[in-house]
Amino acid sequence: MAEGKNYLNHETTIWSWLTTVDHKRIGLMYLFTISCFFIAGGVAAILMRLELAKAGGDLVAPDVYNVLFTLHGAIMIFLFIVPGIPATLGNFLIPLMIGAKDVAFPKLNLLSYYIYLVGAIMALLAIIPVDWISAWLPEFLTNFLTWLGLSGPADTGWTFYAPYSLETGSSVIWMTGAAFVLGFSSILTGLNFIVTIHKLRAPGMSWDRLPVFIWASYATAVIQTLATPIVGISLLLLIMERVFGVGIFNPDLGGDPVLYQHFFWFYSHPVVYIMVLPAFGVVGEIIPVFSRKPLFGYKAICYATLAIAVFGFIVWAHHMFTSGLSNASAFYFSLATFTVAVPTAVKVFNWVSTMYKGSISFDTPMLYAMGFVFLFMVAGTTGIYLATLAVDVFYHDTYFVVAHFHYTIQGGAVIGLIAGLHFWFPKITGKMYNEVAGKIGWVLVFFGFNLTFLPQFVLGMNGMPRRYYDYPPEFEWLHTLSTIGALINGIGYSFALLNMLYAFIWGKKIAPRNPYKSLSLEWDTQSPPIHENFEETPTVTDYPYAYGVPVKEAV
Amino acid sequence: MFRYLPEQASEIAPKIDWINNLITDLSVFFTVAIVGVMIFFAIYYRKKDGVDHETPQIKGSHTLEWIWTVLPTLVCIYIAYYGVIYYQELRYVPDDAMVVNVVGQKWNWSFKYENGKETSNVVYVPVNRRVKFLMESKDVLHSFFIPAMRVKRDLVPGMYTYVSFTPVMTGEYHVFCTEYCGQDHYDMTAKLKVVSQAEYDEWVNYKEDLSAFTPVELGKKLYTGKGCNACHSLNGKKIIGPSFLKAYGREVELESGEKFKSDENYIKNSILAPNSQIVKGYPKNQMPAFEGQLDDTQIGNIIAFIKSLDGSQAIEEEVLPEKSDVDVTKLTPVERGKYIYQNKLCVTCHSLDGSKVIGPSFKGIYGREGELQDGTKYVVDDEYIKSSILKPMSQVVKGYPAAMPPYEGQLNDDDIAGVIEYMKTLK
């Protein structure tokens, strides 16, 4: 296929990439950019783990450590995993999966990429440690950076909790400003996807024939569009308070610090579903293909997806059970939080049931998908502890929470992204990656990840608080294990990504149109797709999971 | 080494652990069951010999969907119910609860008891009596967490919050700050000491007669009692804030470039509103404002104390050990030596880990050989240690400054014997 025209060689100049409105190219540009930030956030994580490997301060000073966990969180959340699957796989696949030529607003799509880039540059500026390096900088440069309001990297944690974030001398304004700008990119992407899915479906592609990845992307887009403005406003209020002294969150000025937490989590809880819903979609696509079975309970999965998106909006204050909530609101938010557990459980049951009487092969994407089911079981069940009021009081802000949300976000969203990248790699690049290397990468990632975070559950159960530079000696051996796990995990990701990068650039094995015999539309065009996606507009006659031999009692 | 949950030191702990363990049992059961079934399917229905076998087109089952929607819902309601019930118990405070006022400020906990007694970073409570910690923050958010008691609550500036529990086991427990509060968040820890009611009464009613102290001595007490010592050294070393050594009359340059000599007004203002005049080269917003926390007499005492630090006396003599409730004569020699090491400021200059601070480390000191400044050889034995403590200047080790004050008249023979025994344990 490679000799024919496709979206990669359709035009080849750098300018053609920078000004492209092709959703496939924009998806790839996003992938490249967020991968850079994934590496940056990963380096911060490794440095943190090395510092914590032994009790006592050995590698960095406490203030540097505080910067490291802030950067790790802010970069991984705002620059990597929120754009994550929607901006990369979503951009690439949504038009292909629904049989469209592009998204509804291709230029808006490019604009959202550049807004993302502006936000990313603002975040990078906020990282410059002006105070520490000013001795080596020419004076005019130092003055200029200081004039811009830059002092040193934020040390507030990615949550920017007031009033600490109002008084710390670090470049908080630039970091929150970056998050504010990145929010716009997210909103525009979401808006674009909603309109695309409503208006550009191919003939016959009714709502009950949409792939679950599209359902997941749709639900995600709704959350992006509705929730992101809230965090934008709250970060803007934070900036106004810092710059103009308007009293909103600072009690000295008559403000309320708990109000900031409400604002913040009203977005930042739903954002968890922006991260993981698309990963659910990816897993829902992979398991039927490698089981040669219809996705069990297709409609139940679609309803569950929407339910999670809706319930996600009404549970935010479970992050605040110790913050000074009244008993009544604590009861409500605890009960509401449990409602998220149910549709999540329904999904897991359906994925596993899909494999019943299948013809299962263990290609790398399937291994990641099965690994995902385990990791998400751990993430989900540990979420039950945190939803339970009295128990959450004990675990709140300990390593238990750290481990729980890494199982959710890394075990869920990141593993989902890596699974999806392997799965659609032939379609995106027109090449095949090395299968053995892919499996080795999976083993390293899976083993390293669990070794990193299982000990952290035990740490949390023993009361180890998070964001601690140092700790009592009884916690040391668990921290050491966790650090070893983090190193293996880091090697695993590098291995998996380099395997794909190598295959993309130097790989010789050419991918056929449809290497997995999938019934989904994106495989119904050449690999990689032509610039216009399809030679002619496809017509859809069934949902994309009609694998196997029809049986009478099917529902 | 492996511990699943901390000791159950409060009345509510077993209840919370019960629901915790129930969730663990259910979680492990469901995770093993579901992942087990998945692995079983994967192996049993695997593609054999690289050829797909025929599969039935099963699209779903309404019955199953209902079962696995309703079942988890019921389990969730059951767990949520007990979570709420025990939470109510956690938040309940009987009228006769003993109240301790807690103030959190970067990075220090202070506690005030019903009779006005105050402590810093250590809090005593009697066993088997409900206590209520009424908490306020002087600066940013903090969170008060005692793992062994299963209680935690944020301290929110501008409002009072509380935790309440009934300790049921005597002992010493960790207190952590669990809401990130800046540079030394990790170090904002305290000890909770649960003692018998009799011990508590004796301790809480023990009062020092303040009239017996000079202003300088009272200033010293405030220096350690209010946590000034966390950031301001007495030996000229820069920790976070400027050292107190020769701080009075010192040439000061502010961030703004303004220069003047430090005087009483400057010191007072720096205590009450520290951020209004930050010395150049030091971080802003680190020191909490003591406005409303110290009265004029106390501030006067601190100023007197700072004035006394004019460098004319060796600094080790400046701080008397806090009046303590430890009776050294009841300790074993090694414990006594360790106590003296920590409380007579040996710890300031002699490390235990082999690192060189100001004086030689105590690690492996007993039996060590070396050379003195005047070139003579020495071996560390009982006699050498004793004379080094009493008359340090007579035998300074080569490469070290002659900085140690003599302890003649401050330590008796039993004290010194204890120190020697303690040193022998530091291999």
Side-chain angles (χ1 to χ4, degrees):
Chain A
M1 298 290 149
E3 59 272 15
K5 279 283 180 196
N6 61 52
Y7 81 101
L8 290 168
N9 61 17
H10 166 74
E11 282 176 298
T12 50
T13 60
I14 292 188
W15 184 248
S16 75
W17 277 88
L18 294 179
T19 58
T20 184
V21 291
D22 182 350
H23 66 100
K24 301 182 286 301
R25 285 187 160 204
I26 293 173
L28 268 192
M29 297 200 308
Y30 263 119
L31 181 61
F32 173 77
T33 324
I34 70 165
S35 300
C36 294
F37 285 108
F38 179 55
I39 294 165
V43 168
I46 294 289
L47 288 175
M48 253 193 311
R49 281 312 326 164
L50 288 176
E51 168 57 50
L52 292 171
K54 291 280 164 202
D58 346 81
L59 188 67
V60 296
D63 50 343
V64 178
Y65 176 81
N66 295 342
V67 166
L68 283 177
F69 72 66
T70 305
L71 291 185
H72 170 70
I75 290 175
M76 285 299 199
I77 300 277
F78 295 116
L79 291 165
F80 169 61
I81 201 66
V82 168
I85 297 178
T88 57
L89 293 174
N91 249 323
F92 192 93
L93 292 168
I94 288 172
L96 283 167
M97 279 184 156
I98 63 173
K101 277 186 181 164
D102 206 319
V103 290
F105 308 112
K107 287 178 184 163
L108 197 64
N109 202 14
L110 184 65
L111 178 67
S112 73
Y113 174 76
Y114 279 108
I115 292 176
Y116 168 84
L117 219 51
V118 170
I121 290 167
M122 287 171 70
L124 288 175
L125 282 174
I127 294 174
I128 302 173
V130 181
D131 288 348
W132 300 342
I133 60 169
S134 57
W136 296 284
L137 290 179
E139 199 177 326
F140 76 91
L141 194 57
T142 313
N143 291 342
F144 177 66
L145 292 172
T146 315
W147 178 77
L148 284 175
L150 294 165
S151 49
D155 65 341
T156 56
W158 78 279
T159 45
F160 307 115
Y161 266 17
Y164 184 70
S165 58
L166 296 168
E167 58 166 59
T168 174
S170 46
S171 309
V172 170
I173 295 178
W174 280 85
M175 205 41 141
T176 48
F180 177 74
V181 171
L182 291 167
F184 278 100
S185 165
S186 191
I187 294 169
L188 293 182
T189 303
L191 207 59
N192 217 338
F193 288 173
I194 292 174
V195 180
T196 307
I197 294 168
H198 269 281
K199 305 303 286 183
L200 298 188
R201 282 169 287 133
M205 180 60 94
S206 51
W207 288 90
D208 57 357
R209 289 175 185 166
L210 282 179
V212 284
F213 181 74
I214 299 297
W215 274 104
S217 300
Y218 184 80
T220 307
V222 171
I223 306 174
Q224 282 179 307
T225 323
L226 294 182
T228 316
I230 314 291
V231 78
I233 290 164
S234 30
L235 295 175
L236 203 61
L237 290 174
L238 193 72
I239 293 171
M240 283 180 53
E241 182 151 2
R242 268 191 80 113
V243 178
F244 304 114
V246 182
I248 299 157
F249 305 126
N250 187 350
D252 292 347
L253 302 171
D256 180 2
V258 180
L259 179 68
Y260 175 81
Q261 298 175 26
H262 279 292
F263 274 160
F264 183 82
W265 289 114
F266 190 83
Y267 163 76
S268 296
H269 189 75
V271 84
V272 174
Y273 305 110
I274 295 181
M275 303 171 202
V276 296
L277 279 179
F280 290 161
V282 169
V283 171
E285 296 300 327
I286 291 173
I287 291 180
V289 170
F290 292 100
S291 303
R292 312 309 303 162
K293 278 278 307 298
L295 184 60
F296 197 89
Y298 166 81
K299 278 190 180 164
I301 284 189
C302 296
Y303 291 140
T305 304
L306 293 180
I308 293 171
V310 172
F311 293 154
F313 275 102
I314 56 169
V315 300
W316 75 90
H318 66 216
H319 295 265
M320 302 164 56
F321 285 153
T322 69
S323 301
L325 287 184
S326 70
N327 280 7
S329 39
F331 299 161
Y332 160 73
F333 280 108
S334 169
L335 295 174
T337 302
F338 277 98
T339 60
V340 183
V342 176
T344 317
V346 167
K347 277 174 175 281
V348 173
F349 288 126
N350 279 305
W351 294 328
V352 172
S353 304
T354 302
M355 293 165 70
Y356 172 67
K357 289 193 174 174
S359 172
I360 298 164
S361 45
F362 301 102
D363 298 46
T364 307
M366 184 62 171
L367 290 180
Y368 275 105
M370 288 171 62
F372 178 98
V373 170
F374 167 72
L375 298 176
F376 214 79
M377 275 305 295
V378 178
T381 52
T382 52
I384 298 287
Y385 293 82
L386 301 175
T388 310
L389 259 184
V391 180
D392 178 74
V393 167
F394 177 55
Y395 287 134
H396 180 73
D397 270 339
T398 66
Y399 265 65
F400 192 91
V401 174
V402 176
H404 162 72
F405 69 69
H406 279 90
Y407 266 87
T408 313
I409 297 173
Q410 198 192 134
V414 182
I415 296 289
L417 174 62
I418 304 280
L421 286 178
H422 280 93
F423 182 58
W424 282 291
F425 186 85
K427 182 56 60 186
I428 295 171
T429 64
K431 308 274 187 65
M432 295 299 277
Y433 55 83
N434 184 310
E435 183 61 33
V436 176
K439 286 189 169 109
I440 294 172
W442 174 77
V443 170
L444 290 172
V445 167
F446 189 74
F447 178 73
F449 175 79
N450 285 299
L451 186 60
T452 312
F453 292 105
L454 283 176
Q456 295 193 6
F457 281 122
V458 183
L459 279 169
M461 288 179 150
N462 281 287
M464 166 84 205
R466 66 191 281 207
R467 295 176 170 173
Y468 264 35
Y469 165 74
D470 194 10
Y471 45 80
E474 66 258 33
F475 295 133
E476 188 173 49
W477 67 283
L478 289 161
H479 273 294
T480 308
L481 276 184
S482 181
T483 299
I484 295 169
L487 292 172
I488 297 172
N489 200 12
I491 293 168
Y493 279 125
S494 314
F495 195 88
L497 291 177
L498 286 175
N499 179 36
M500 285 193 279
L501 189 68
Y502 178 86
F504 185 21
I505 301 174
W506 294 287
K508 299 218 165 50
K509 204 171 162 198
I510 302 301
R513 273 172 92 96
N514 190 354
Y516 317 119
K517 292 176 284 171
S518 166
L519 300 178
S520 189
L521 261 190
E522 77 273 22
W523 300 101
D524 200 22
T525 179
Q526 66 167 42
S527 302
I530 53 171
H531 178 61
E532 298 81 6
N533 288 355
F534 300 94
E535 286 88 356
E536 55 188 86
T537 307
T539 308
V540 181
T541 53
D542 197 357
Y543 87 149
Y545 307 107
Y547 300 102
V549 182
V551 283
K552 275 181 192 150
E553 67 271 32
V555 180
Chain B
M1 208 159 51
F2 185 87
R3 196 174 59 163
Y4 172 57
L5 288 167
E7 55 273 67
Q8 298 176 334
S10 69
E11 200 178 39
I12 190 131
K15 298 177 187 172
I16 294 177
D17 290 1
W18 171 78
I19 186 87
N20 193 340
N21 290 334
L22 175 73
I23 301 173
T24 305
D25 294 344
L26 289 169
S27 298
V28 170
F29 172 76
F30 278 109
T31 307
V32 169
I34 290 169
V35 175
V37 167
M38 178 179 78
I39 292 172
F40 171 76
F41 284 171
I43 294 170
Y44 194 76
Y45 298 117
R46 71 188 181 277
K47 181 160 104 180
K48 293 172 187 95
D49 309 321
V51 188
D52 278 318
H53 48 259
E54 205 171 88
T55 57
Q57 199 179 82
I58 305 167
K59 292 187 170 181
S61 154
H62 282 306
T63 320
L64 280 176
E65 298 295 346
W66 274 110
I67 291 173
W68 62 48
T69 307
V70 172
L71 193 72
T73 308
L74 295 177
V75 173
C76 283
I77 291 172
Y78 184 77
I79 295 171
Y81 171 75
Y82 280 101
V84 165
I85 293 298
Y86 293 144
Y87 181 79
Q88 267 179 317
E89 216 166 300
L90 268 174
R91 303 303 300 157
Y92 169 70
V93 191
D95 292 339
D96 62 343
M98 179 186 119
V99 178
V100 179
N101 284 282
V102 180
V103 175
Q105 62 185 46
K106 290 189 280 185
W107 296 283
N108 190 44
W109 296 105
S110 47
F111 303 93
K112 194 170 183 180
Y113 303 82
E114 281 166 335
N115 68 353
K117 191 176 174 104
E118 288 182 56
T119 53
S120 169
N121 295 330
V122 59
V123 54
Y124 285 78
V125 293
V127 72
N128 293 327
R129 175 147 175 223
R130 187 82 176 189
V131 288
K132 176 185 181 183
F133 283 28
L134 185 65
M135 312 187 293
E136 60 179 318
S137 165
K138 289 288 172 199
D139 38 40
V140 297
L141 296 172
H142 300 284
S143 191
F144 188 81
F145 178 34
I146 313 173
M149 304 295 163
R150 312 287 189 276
V151 293
K152 182 186 290 130
R153 195 73 172 179
D154 289 5
L155 284 73
V156 183
M159 69 193 258
Y160 285 107
T161 56
Y162 70 90
V163 295
S164 177
F165 57 93
T166 311
V168 293
M169 262 167 61
T170 57
E172 188 179 300
Y173 306 101
H174 287 301
V175 177
F176 295 120
C177 174
T178 44
E179 187 60 72
Y180 174 68
C181 57
Q183 182 175 317
D184 288 348
H185 165 58
Y186 73 98
D187 209 17
M188 188 164 165
T189 57
K191 288 274 175 261
L192 170 74
K193 294 194 180 180
V194 180
V195 295
S196 69
Q197 184 72 46
E199 278 176 90
Y200 176 78
D201 289 338
E202 192 185 341
W203 175 83
V204 82
N205 292 319
Y206 173 80
K207 264 208 185 115
E208 289 167 313
D209 182 8
L210 294 183
S211 65
F213 293 94
T214 64
V216 173
E217 285 165 345
L218 290 170
K220 279 170 214 162
K221 286 184 174 300
L222 289 166
Y223 169 72
T224 46
K226 291 282 173 189
C228 316
N229 56 350
C231 302
H232 300 282
S233 77
L234 296 181
N235 57 6
K237 205 173 148 217
K238 174 177 172 177
I239 308 176
I240 288 169
S243 174
F244 279 177
L245 182 67
K246 299 183 195 168
Y248 180 79
R250 175 160 59 199
E251 191 72 37
V252 173
E253 185 180 352
L254 299 186
E255 289 271 271
S256 58
E258 196 187 336
K259 282 187 196 177
F260 54 85
K261 267 196 161 56
S262 133
D263 59 7
E264 286 87 348
N265 277 324
Y266 170 70
I267 294 174
K268 181 172 179 180
N269 189 36
S270 292
I271 293 170
L272 297 178
N275 290 316
S276 62
Q277 32 190 17
I278 297 290
V279 178
K280 195 167 185 176
Y282 287 90
K284 259 181 252 161
N285 295 316
Q286 298 298 329
M287 178 165 160
F290 283 86
E291 183 85 62
Q293 289 196 62
L294 296 171
D295 59 30
D296 280 353
T297 323
Q298 288 174 310
I299 291 171
N301 292 338
I302 293 173
I303 293 173
F305 174 55
I306 293 176
K307 275 184 177 173
S308 76
L309 300 167
D310 54 5
S312 64
Q313 289 164 292
I315 45 139
E316 280 78 5
E317 283 183 290
E318 289 298 335
V319 176
L320 295 170
E322 271 280 86
K323 183 98 182 162
S324 68
D325 46 357
V326 177
D327 183 357
V328 289
T329 59
K330 284 188 186 151
L331 301 174
T332 66
V334 173
E335 284 169 358
R336 183 167 180 168
K338 186 176 181 185
Y339 179 76
I340 290 164
Y341 169 76
Q342 287 164 345
N343 289 280
K344 290 285 175 186
L345 289 159
C346 317
V347 61
T348 321
C349 301
H350 300 281
S351 77
L352 294 182
D353 58 7
S355 65
K356 177 177 168 178
V357 186
I358 294 172
S361 174
F362 280 1
K363 188 181 178 187
I365 189 165
Y366 197 83
R368 189 191 287 160
E369 296 176 24
E371 201 175 299
L372 297 180
Q373 240 161 20
D374 59 11
T376 56
K377 302 266 192 261
Y378 72 89
V379 180
V380 177
D381 54 16
D382 295 15
E383 206 42 48
Y384 173 84
I385 295 171
K386 187 170 177 181
S387 60
S388 288
I389 294 172
L390 299 178
K391 294 191 181 72
M393 296 308 157
S394 66
Q395 39 186 30
V396 176
V397 177
K398 197 168 187 174
Y400 287 91
M404 179 167 158
Y407 278 82
E408 199 136 40
Q410 289 196 54
L411 297 176
N412 62 29
D413 284 351
D414 286 343
D415 289 336
I416 292 172
V419 172
I420 291 169
E421 288 309 308
Y422 176 57
M423 284 179 170
K424 284 180 183 171
T425 67
L426 302 170
K427 294 282 162 24

